[in-house]
Amino acid sequence: MLRLILQEACLLPMADLRFNDSIMSALFLSDKIKSLHPQYQKFLQEEVYPIELHIITHPFRQSLPVLQKLRTKAKEQKLWAPHLSEHDGGPGLTMVEFAQISELLGTSPLGHYIFNCNAPDIGNMELMHQFASAELKEKYLKPLMNGDIRSCFAMTEPAFAGSNPIDMGTTAVREGDHYIINGHKWFTTAADGAAFTIVMALTDPHNASPYLRASMIIVPLDNPGYQLIRNIPIMGDAGEDYMSHGEVKFTNCKVPVTNLIGEEGKGFALAQARLGPGRIHHCMRWIGICERAFDLMCQRAVARKLRDDKVLAHQQMIQFWIAESRAEINAARLMVLHTADAMEKEGAKAVKNEISTIKFFVADVLMKVLDRAIQIHGALGITDDTLLSFWYRHERGARIYDGPDEVHKTSLAKSILKKYIS
Ligand SMILES: Cc1cc2nc3c(=O)[nH]c(=O)nc-3n(C[C@H](O)[C@H](O)[C@H](O)COP(=O)(O)OP(=O)(O)OC[C@H]3O[C@@H](n4cnc5c(N)ncnc54)[C@H](O)[C@@H]3O)c2cc1C
């Protein structure tokens, strides 16, 4: 009987189970999402889920023609770039609506790339929309939104603690109408094959305020002063193309001063503006991964036979993992949607604590759900025969990038405790 109930509950197509079963997201369902969500879902089920495992387990470049075809199809079906306004060729979603689509796309490692809303491009698009000059928008933002080029973001350096992005060694010295950039960066995600990077560099290293020392500058990557040293292997996987993490060098790299984004010396403020929505995007993508891992977990639990006509799902420990995962994913989703809603209404500054909360909380849920899903699969879980090991390797960074857990927890606790200090 238990077996039957579990089979009925868990062997439904993954995305149906998630969407219909989710009381949490129903709280935030708009008419637009009711209409768009099934279209993205159909696209993923028909075009993406069948090929994703093959693509992520083979050299990525081999699959670019196939992926390009899917990107064209996404455009034809008017599903392209769900984060963009209608004016820019997207559906014009609110942050809450985009969060729900982002979750769905997160159920595949290829979802965000195919629909042109993957990091770091999405963060760079948002940044340029808000702060870049009309000339930079025409030259870099337009082709980026159209998917003709890719971009990257170079802030972190091997020689400085990236958790505190005000410390860095890269400099941009003004000479006439140009900046001359020198420095060494790493973890420049998607540097391999990108057309340009936004680099964070010190333009006023001796300013009394450490928050006014750096600026953000666009560097086209065919510049002779730029070098991609290597794609850094992540847990054994060097990655390629948009799945790469580059170690890069700038040596007397000369770019026009008009490549500056926003005002000189405001790089830190721009970084904060870029990271707020970026963290919400990551969290929704992680919830998508959790749902997929949860689905795999349930499928395996009911399918894996033990002795005496029992399956894994009959074991109480496995039931606990399934129940705990369900509760944690639901909680995470509600927290993220609430934060997205509040950010839209009150602005990024007002939800700083909420963003810190979801950043470490959802990353932790992601790790737990992936780990349980792998454990339930036994040896199969650590092979590349399911998506789980790919995500386990690639998403361990979730607790580190865009602010490590410890930094967010400290910041949240300090803000709470302030109210208790008279
Ligand atoms: C997969 C991935 C992709 C990335 N992509 C990019 C990118 O595209 N562009 C880019 O510029 N950077 C990128 N990064 C870099 C990322 O932003 C940094 O790794 C992050 O800011 C942490 O900096 P760090 O690695 O230098 O760690 P450190 O600053 O050296 O910190 C190490 C550890 O110390 C602890 N710690 C640090 N500060 C504190 C504190 N105040 N209190 C308590 N504990 C603390 C934390 O546990 C932390 O993990 C990426 C990183 C990863 C893993």
Side-chain angles (χ1 to χ4, degrees):
M1 183 63 183
L2 171 66
R3 192 172 187 169
L4 267 177
I5 293 168
L6 285 170
Q7 268 173 345
E8 273 175 24
C10 299
L11 292 182
L12 288 167
M14 186 275 301
D16 287 347
L17 174 69
R18 184 187 62 258
F19 201 49
N20 297 334
D21 204 35
S22 169
I23 305 162
M24 303 304 183
S25 60
L27 287 174
F28 291 94
L29 271 188
S30 66
D31 287 341
K32 215 169 193 177
I33 284 297
K34 277 186 199 158
S35 142
L36 272 179
H37 196 280
Q39 296 176 49
Y40 281 99
Q41 195 173 34
K42 186 168 181 285
F43 194 110
L44 288 170
Q45 284 172 341
E46 289 176 2
E47 310 279 359
V48 185
Y49 296 151
I51 58 169
E52 62 193 356
L53 192 58
H54 177 84
I55 290 180
I56 61 163
T57 51
H58 289 79
F60 191 74
R61 284 226 164 76
Q62 283 176 9
S63 303
L64 285 177
V66 176
L67 289 167
Q68 192 46 50
K69 271 189 195 154
L70 291 182
R71 282 161 72 97
T72 306
K73 223 175 206 178
K75 270 187 194 166
E76 286 164 2
Q77 295 187 15
K78 304 217 175 318
L79 299 174
W80 183 249
H83 60 295
L84 291 179
S85 66
E86 284 173 10
H87 173 265
D88 288 320
L93 301 179
T94 64
M95 192 169 287
V96 168
E97 289 169 334
F98 174 63
Q100 289 165 305
I101 296 301
S102 181
E103 175 189 330
L104 181 58
L105 300 184
T107 59
S108 169
L110 305 174
H112 287 79
Y113 175 73
I114 289 170
F115 294 93
N116 199 30
C117 54
N118 55 292
D121 287 341
I122 181 170
N124 289 344
M125 286 185 223
E126 284 168 348
L127 185 80
M128 284 191 278
H129 257 300
Q130 269 185 281
F131 302 105
S133 65
E135 185 199 337
L136 291 178
K137 281 181 182 163
E138 187 63 30
K139 193 165 176 189
Y140 296 103
L141 178 58
K142 254 193 181 172
L144 190 61
M145 290 192 300
N146 203 33
D148 299 333
I149 58 171
R150 285 194 301 94
S151 67
C152 53
F153 182 72
M155 183 162 79
T156 308
E157 303 186 3
F160 291 85
S163 304
N164 186 3
I166 55 175
D167 294 327
M168 65 185 66
T170 301
T171 54
V173 177
R174 188 143 177 189
E175 278 186 12
D177 292 340
H178 288 84
Y179 285 115
I180 310 294
I181 304 171
N182 280 286
H184 184 190
K185 303 277 184 183
W186 80 338
F187 277 88
T188 305
T189 296
D192 185 15
F196 71 92
T197 188
I198 296 175
V199 65
M200 182 98 148
L202 297 171
T203 40
D204 187 5
H206 305 298
N207 194 301
S209 167
Y211 301 104
L212 296 174
R213 291 176 188 163
S215 303
M216 285 198 190
I217 300 165
I218 290 185
V219 175
L221 297 189
D222 57 2
N223 189 305
Y226 166 84
Q227 185 195 1
L228 171 63
I229 299 170
R230 62 171 177 148
N231 290 336
I232 307 163
I234 304 292
M235 299 210 184
D237 183 357
E240 280 184 320
D241 215 75
Y242 98 100
M243 291 210 185
S244 66
H245 300 285
E247 180 177 350
V248 306
K249 251 192 168 167
F250 301 86
T251 311
N252 296 326
C253 181
K254 189 173 174 182
V255 295
V257 286
T258 47
N259 278 20
L260 177 74
I261 299 182
E263 289 174 48
E264 197 176 89
K266 295 289 173 65
F268 186 79
L270 296 192
Q272 293 308 311
R274 185 181 183 278
L275 284 173
R279 286 172 181 141
I280 294 182
H281 300 160
H282 279 309
C283 287
M284 288 312 292
R285 186 172 58 79
W286 298 338
I287 293 171
I289 298 173
C290 285
E291 288 291 2
R292 194 75 188 276
F294 181 77
D295 184 63
L296 289 168
M297 193 189 312
C298 293
Q299 290 199 34
R300 187 68 178 171
V302 295
R304 187 62 161 171
K305 288 196 173 62
L306 303 175
R307 292 179 65 198
D308 304 327
D309 203 27
K310 281 191 166 180
V311 288
L312 270 178
H314 287 103
Q315 304 300 318
Q316 196 177 45
M317 179 61 95
I318 303 290
Q319 295 164 9
F320 277 19
W321 286 346
I322 288 169
E324 285 164 8
S325 299
R326 186 66 271 154
E328 287 161 2
I329 300 168
N330 284 1
R333 176 185 292 112
L334 187 56
M335 285 164 73
V336 178
L337 291 176
H338 164 74
T339 305
D341 189 46
M343 186 187 242
E344 195 125 53
K345 288 174 182 153
E346 296 164 38
K349 265 195 183 149
V351 293
K352 190 173 164 285
N353 284 350
E354 283 77 3
I355 289 174
S356 277
T357 311
I358 59 171
K359 174 63 181 53
F360 71 78
F361 184 83
V362 185
D364 182 51
V365 171
L366 173 65
M367 294 301 117
K368 284 196 280 205
V369 173
L370 275 176
D371 190 67
R372 288 176 194 140
I374 287 176
Q375 193 69 10
I376 282 181
H377 280 74
L380 173 62
I382 58 168
T383 67
D384 284 340
D385 290 356
T386 80
L387 293 168
L388 295 170
S389 67
F390 172 85
W391 273 324
Y392 194 73
R393 290 193 303 273
H394 285 258
E395 301 302 339
R396 176 58 183 85
R399 292 186 50 212
I400 297 170
Y401 57 75
D402 285 11
D405 286 359
E406 295 73 20
V407 172
H408 286 291
K409 286 181 185 176
T410 307
S411 155
L412 176 63
K414 276 186 186 163
S415 166
I416 293 167
L417 291 171
K418 230 188 244 173
K419 295 176 190 145
Y420 288 81
I421 299 167
S422 50

